[in-house]
Amino acid sequence: MGKIKKFLSDVMSEMRKTSWPKSKELTKYTVVVVTTVVIMALFFVLVDLGISELFRWYIDL
């Protein structure tokens, strides 16, 4: 039980040292992440459609 208490105490100590982002920074980071995810999703949709179309074209030969 003593090890668990020490571990939780160490976790709390480290959490106090952590610098959390400000609201503006957090908003900026969120916009960057969401934008990146949307762009990557569109990219993979286009690649998937292209590969699917190639397979359909090959099968129709």
Side-chain angles (χ1 to χ4, degrees):
M1 192 66 172
K3 287 184 179 182
I4 293 174
K5 190 173 182 179
K6 175 154 176 33
F7 172 75
L8 292 176
S9 173
D10 290 344
V11 168
M12 290 302 293
S13 173
E14 290 298 321
M15 291 299 285
R16 285 189 194 100
K17 297 176 189 176
T18 304
S19 64
W20 299 97
K22 304 290 183 226
S23 179
K24 279 187 172 183
E25 290 175 324
L26 189 60
T27 302
K28 187 187 296 187
Y29 298 155
T30 302
V31 168
V32 168
V33 168
V34 169
T35 303
T36 304
V37 168
V38 167
I39 290 170
M40 294 302 293
L42 290 172
F43 171 76
F44 284 115
V45 164
L46 291 173
V47 169
D48 184 51
L49 288 173
I51 291 172
S52 297
E53 198 59 37
L54 282 174
F55 274 115
R56 285 190 197 109
W57 176 76
Y58 182 74
I59 290 173
D60 289 340
L61 286 179

